[in-house]
Amino acid sequence: MPAADTLRYTRIPLAHGSGAIPAVGFGTLIPDPVVANQAIKVALKVGFRHFDCSERYRNEDVVGNAMGEAFKAGRVRRADIFVTTKLWNSNHRPERVKPAFEASLRRLQIDYADGYLIHTPFAFQPGDEQDPRDAAGQVIYDSGVTLVETWQAMERLVDEGPCRAIGLSDISLDKLKEIVAAARIKPAVVQVESHPYLPEWELLDFCRQHGIVVLAFAPLGHGMDPRITDDPVIRAIAQRVHKTPAQVALAWAVQRGTAFLTTSTSPAHIRENFEISPLPADAVQEIRDGIATSVRFNAVVETGVPGFIPRVS
Ligand SMILES: NC(=O)c1ccc[n+]([C@@H]2O[C@H](COP(=O)([O-])OP(=O)(O)OC[C@H]3O[C@@H](n4cnc5c(N)ncnc54)[C@H](OP(=O)(O)O)[C@@H]3O)[C@@H](O)[C@H]2O)c1
């Protein structure tokens, strides 16, 4: 690796939170606990220092164990890892926010979170049932709380200390503007689906102007069809720069100023996804100008119901 090839170690300072977020992140939405444990250990070993979690993934304890083992063995220090977790839809009532946050910290076996996000802007019926449904199978929403009220409870977590930055996920630009206008502590991070088929330029521009980091999930399009790694523009660039198509899509994500979260259960892919290198400027531009395909892979933004989590645990 040439000395100047430090793209994979990029950290983006948080204008509205403490510290800096590593641009290269690993998502922990891996339902099988044994597979998740192994994947997280490999991710730590190859160099990932940013982990994305959620109470909704129902595996914070698995993530906590995998990280805890690495801390105890002295392979990595807690201070070197950026851990984000998320408040689920059934905990939007202000009085539920702090208990939900503390329960996440306990499961993760950490005493502070680097980031805590509202997982979606949709409030579900408050309670321990994460997927409340009526007799007809329809989601039961909660009209008794506004997103601003939930946000204010998130701000109090920052005031109290164990939460170093707060943010939103699966949010539209219009809703984000409302929160930014009302916030005492502005969102440090916004996590949304984003990749060459859904670049979200307008959202990114707004976030740049307001010092908010865009954290792209599905940077490889969830591995779904049409596959970003099969895109002819991405493949041609990959051939030219002697990298894989996945590495091209991920390098592009960092070079245009976002952080990203990728997930894999394959040790080879996990390593590959960390070992990104800068693309020449013309390749970054070519991905913007030369790709016309437009796809949103994840419908969570429409209903708040996650696409990839089985309804029954
Ligand atoms: N806020 C939200 O609502 C939300 C929603 C979804 C996800 N997320 C977060 O985002 C994280 C990222 O997940 P994602 O699905 O969006 O990630 P992604 O990286 O876009 O897609 C993962 C898929 O791509 C494949 N893949 C990974 N690396 C590859 C490579 N180098 N070459 C070819 N295929 C590769 C994986 O298969 P293999 O396992 O075979 O490698 C897997 O099927 C999640 O874990 C979660 O933390 C958040």
Side-chain angles (χ1 to χ4, degrees):
M1 183 174 69
D5 185 356
T6 56
L7 191 69
R8 69 199 66 172
Y9 303 112
T10 304
R11 283 178 173 258
I12 309 173
L14 296 179
H16 306 298
S18 306
I21 186 168
V24 173
F26 191 80
T28 64
L29 176 44
I30 302 173
D32 183 302
V34 175
V35 177
N37 177 283
Q38 281 162 358
I40 293 157
K41 282 190 196 152
V42 174
L44 280 165
K45 187 164 170 221
V46 306
F48 281 92
R49 292 294 178 263
H50 166 190
F51 290 83
D52 180 72
C53 317
S54 173
E55 60 173 299
R56 184 66 176 108
Y57 302 161
R58 300 196 200 107
N59 66 355
E60 289 173 307
D61 54 337
V62 174
V63 182
N65 285 339
M67 287 192 308
E69 270 180 51
F71 298 153
K72 269 194 216 117
R75 286 194 290 276
V76 60
R77 295 179 314 149
R78 166 68 185 100
D80 297 331
I81 309 277
F82 193 100
V83 183
T84 299
T85 192
K86 309 190 205 81
L87 177 84
W88 184 240
N89 302 354
S90 49
N91 285 323
H92 277 209
R93 293 271 174 139
E95 68 277 13
R96 296 185 68 84
V97 170
K98 188 174 175 185
F101 174 70
E102 289 176 340
S104 281
L105 289 191
R106 272 197 302 278
R107 287 187 292 264
L108 287 163
Q109 300 168 41
I110 52 180
D111 54 13
Y112 68 90
D114 300 278
Y116 194 46
L117 312 184
I118 301 181
H119 199 141
T120 88
F122 296 89
F124 288 1
Q125 172 182 271
D128 294 335
E129 170 56 62
Q130 292 187 334
D131 192 13
R133 302 275 173 154
D134 64 18
Q138 301 298 310
V139 173
I140 307 172
Y141 291 96
D142 179 10
S143 57
V145 60
T146 66
L147 194 60
V148 170
E149 287 166 341
T150 308
W151 185 257
Q152 288 164 342
M154 300 282 284
E155 291 176 326
R156 289 194 284 278
L157 296 178
V158 178
D159 295 338
E160 287 167 14
C163 178
R164 299 196 167 175
I166 50 177
L168 297 149
S169 174
D170 298 327
I171 188 105
S172 66
L173 180 53
D174 285 347
K175 270 250 175 273
L176 175 61
K177 285 179 178 170
E178 280 174 33
I179 296 296
V180 168
R184 180 167 58 82
I185 301 174
K186 304 230 180 300
V189 174
V190 164
Q191 184 183 130
V192 291
E193 174 180 344
S194 192
H195 42 70
Y197 293 169
L198 188 66
E200 296 282 21
W201 289 112
E202 206 188 337
L203 179 77
L204 184 55
D205 281 348
F206 176 84
C207 287
R208 270 201 196 113
Q209 285 161 21
H210 291 267
I212 300 168
V213 175
V214 171
L215 175 54
F217 77 76
L220 302 177
H222 289 323
M224 290 164 76
D225 288 329
R227 288 178 80 90
I228 288 165
T229 47
D230 287 340
D231 184 273
V233 170
I234 302 272
R235 290 192 78 85
I237 294 170
Q239 229 173 7
R240 238 162 51 218
V241 302
H242 308 294
K243 285 286 186 175
T244 68
Q247 288 170 327
V248 169
L250 299 176
W252 174 81
V254 179
Q255 284 176 267
R256 77 190 189 108
T258 71
F260 72 76
L261 296 171
T262 183
T263 290
S264 176
T265 55
S266 141
H269 282 167
I270 297 172
R271 180 177 291 282
E272 176 184 332
N273 294 347
F274 185 72
E275 291 181 349
I276 57 168
S277 297
L279 304 173
D282 62 341
V284 175
Q285 195 62 36
E286 196 182 335
I287 294 173
R288 179 168 188 162
D289 299 339
I291 295 181
T293 309
S294 174
V295 185
R296 180 183 291 284
F297 291 99
N298 196 317
V300 64
V301 287
E302 286 151 26
T303 59
V305 177
F308 306 109
I309 302 174
R311 277 193 53 195
V312 181
S313 57

